[in-house]
Amino acid sequence: METLVRIAEALGRFSARYVPGSFAIAVLLSLFTMGLAVGWTDTPAPRVLDAWGSGFWELLSFSMQMALVMFTGYLLALTRPVRALLEWLAGLARGPRGAVVLMATVSMGLAYLNWGLSLVASAMLVRFVVRRRPEVDYRLLVACAYFGLGATWHAGLSASAPLLVATPGHFLEKQLGLIPIERTLLSPFNLGLTAAVVTGLALLAWALHPSPERAVRVDPKVLERFQDFEPPERPAGHSPALWLDYAPVLTTVFGVLGVVWFARALWLGGGWKAINLNAVNFLFLTLAVLLHGTPARLLKASEEAASVLHGIVLQFPLYAGIYGIFKATGLTERIGQLFVSLSTTATFPAIVYLYSGVVNYFVPSGGSKWAIEAPYLLEAARALGVAPEKVVLAYAWGDMATDLIQPFWALPLLTVARLDFKDILGFLLLAFVFYLPLVTLAFFVWG
């Protein structure tokens, strides 16, 4: 156990010295992708540059969705009932090791239900856990809050690719038909692998916590920022404007209308299957408006919630530019052909898993690149005699595998925690070293 801690600390020192900040990583990945596209696909450099610049706006709506999921989730976390719930949950931790195990388990459990919910709730829970347990190693606590995005979300109920191929009218239906989630997400293989990963990473979190004298505690200045939200005081005087701003009439009407709409959307959309990122954002906003009580309190809370958006606004367009290069130059197909050429019928699911992980590191799109990659992967699977559900699951698991060592999805969490990616990378690298061989072996055996 102590050996693991020393390895994590050594990796942490290495990353602190040699790994730049998350913005620099995004720029370096952009330059590397440009070079790869020019050198491997023979695409002229001006065309690669055009694809990069045009690609900046490929994920514009998704970037806004991500900004809103963080903003509305933060707003919701500042309400009294949600703060009380997070305080209760943080109080379940018994000691520093219990705190990191709790954080890892909650992150992975929530990501299984919905990745957007995990992204927000885990970031918020960090604040409450570290206030209760300031002696916890803060770097490890924040790293554990990121486990869900790298270990369970694309195996769970908000998984993009498996849900897409189970939806009537999807773009591959003529080629593939419908693959119900009983053959993918609810298959014994997927459920068993998810349980093994969650158990293993929770135990790893427990083993990675340093001894008390070696633990790196939260900066007191950061801890001071995590104090309770202070609502605005009502100014003196009486006027219709003041009454509207400091009375719960408008927020109650808005909240009730929002709850009714959300309930109808679930009823008409087939229950939990209707829950997507837009639905999560709408629900978070509705509940935040309802629970804050007054427009004045809501606006004051929104000022604090907006402080976590700068990383998303600044860096997501860079990854969209990389996505544009992959989409326009055929780079994805080249990488896919290389991996497929190394495959046999037995090894194809594991190869797809590894291939998907490699592409995901450059384009962490949350499954949206499935539309580009699926046709030739499924055609190769058909030629090799591999069941399509194995390809879908292998792709899904690979799509989240390298999230553990990629700062893209961690940006909202890091902004809330006031850390940089290199601060937690040492612990995440060890988790990745445990996780990758385990899942790769599982797909080799399944293949």
Side-chain angles (χ1 to χ4, degrees):
M1 187 168 62
E2 193 62 31
T3 302
L4 282 176
V5 174
R6 292 183 182 279
I7 293 173
E9 290 176 337
L11 290 172
R13 289 192 296 271
F14 174 84
S15 62
R17 183 173 177 82
Y18 295 105
V19 177
S22 51
F23 178 79
I25 291 174
V27 174
L28 289 172
L29 284 175
S30 301
L31 296 175
F32 181 76
T33 306
M34 288 178 181
L36 202 60
V38 171
W40 196 4
T41 68
D42 298 324
T43 305
R47 187 179 163 202
V48 172
L49 185 64
D50 291 342
W52 174 71
S54 301
F56 262 58
W57 320 119
E58 286 278 349
L59 303 179
L60 194 60
S61 61
F62 176 68
S63 299
M64 186 61 179
Q65 287 174 321
M66 285 299 300
L68 281 173
V69 80
M70 202 64 237
F71 177 75
T72 57
Y74 203 124
L75 271 181
L76 188 57
L78 294 178
T79 64
R80 292 187 185 94
V82 175
R83 277 165 43 204
L85 175 62
L86 292 173
E87 285 283 10
W88 172 81
L89 195 57
L92 298 178
R94 296 293 179 262
R97 290 187 190 278
V100 295
V101 171
L102 172 73
M103 192 73 255
T105 305
V106 169
S107 173
M108 291 185 285
L110 289 176
Y112 183 83
L113 297 175
N114 184 277
W115 68 266
L117 180 62
S118 175
L119 189 70
V120 174
S122 298
M124 295 300 106
L125 186 58
V126 163
R127 299 169 52 130
F128 291 86
V129 171
V130 79
R131 282 170 53 184
R132 286 290 191 101
R133 294 290 176 185
E135 72 275 17
V136 71
D137 189 292
Y138 187 54
R139 306 161 304 167
L140 177 58
L141 182 71
V142 176
C144 289
Y146 192 45
F147 279 5
L149 268 292
T152 57
W153 85 264
H154 217 153
L157 302 181
S158 61
S160 301
L163 291 181
L164 179 67
V165 297
T167 304
H170 71 85
F171 73 99
L172 290 169
E173 186 172 5
K174 291 183 179 179
Q175 174 187 353
L176 190 62
L178 294 178
I179 301 178
I181 60 172
E182 287 78 9
R183 288 163 55 189
T184 53
L185 299 179
L186 300 182
S187 67
F189 171 81
N190 188 64
L191 294 175
L193 183 56
T194 302
V197 166
V198 170
T199 302
L201 287 178
L203 291 174
L204 183 66
W206 183 87
L208 282 177
H209 198 282
S211 56
E213 63 274 8
R214 300 174 69 90
V216 176
R217 299 188 175 192
V218 60
D219 186 332
K221 293 180 180 178
V222 173
L223 192 60
E224 187 177 344
R225 291 185 177 186
F226 290 167
Q227 299 308 308
D228 286 335
F229 167 68
E230 295 291 338
E233 294 184 5
R234 191 185 192 282
H238 299 280
S239 70
L242 274 179
W243 183 80
L244 286 173
D245 284 338
Y246 287 88
V249 176
L250 294 179
T251 51
T252 301
V253 171
F254 181 97
V256 170
L257 290 174
V259 169
V260 171
W261 180 91
F262 186 78
R264 281 178 50 80
L266 291 185
W267 176 263
L268 298 175
W272 63 267
K273 294 179 182 179
I275 298 179
N276 53 29
L277 197 54
N278 289 335
V280 170
N281 281 337
F282 187 90
L283 180 62
F284 283 180
L285 178 61
T286 297
L287 293 178
V289 171
L290 192 61
L291 295 176
H292 272 292
T294 67
R297 180 186 170 94
L298 180 71
L299 288 174
K300 178 70 181 296
S302 70
E303 293 177 10
E304 183 174 334
S307 66
V308 302
L309 300 182
H310 60 272
I312 296 172
V313 174
L314 178 64
Q315 296 181 50
F316 273 33
L318 272 71
Y319 286 101
I322 296 174
Y323 176 79
I325 296 173
F326 269 81
K327 184 178 177 181
T329 64
L331 187 56
T332 308
E333 288 85 346
R334 286 295 181 95
I335 298 174
Q337 290 165 3
L338 173 63
F339 275 85
V340 169
S341 68
L342 303 173
S343 304
T344 64
T345 301
T347 63
F348 190 68
I351 293 295
V352 170
Y353 167 70
L354 295 172
Y355 153 75
S356 182
V358 169
V359 176
N360 178 70
Y361 194 80
F362 291 90
V363 190
S365 65
S368 62
K369 63 186 185 300
W370 170 250
I372 303 174
E373 302 165 35
Y376 62 82
L377 288 178
L378 291 168
E379 179 59 31
R382 186 195 61 77
L384 290 169
V386 177
E389 59 263 30
K390 293 187 177 184
V391 179
V392 173
L393 268 185
Y395 172 87
W397 277 86
D399 184 67
M400 67 181 172
T402 43
D403 285 342
L404 278 174
I405 53 173
Q406 224 285 356
F408 180 82
W409 296 109
L411 289 173
L413 167 66
L414 295 170
T415 305
V416 172
R418 304 301 198 269
L419 291 179
D420 206 337
F421 190 63
K422 60 186 176 183
D423 297 321
I424 63 174
L425 184 57
F427 295 108
L428 292 176
L429 282 169
L430 264 186
F432 183 71
V433 168
F434 159 80
Y435 169 79
L436 185 70
L438 171 66
V439 180
T440 305
L441 178 61
F443 276 105
F444 266 120
V445 172
W446 198 37

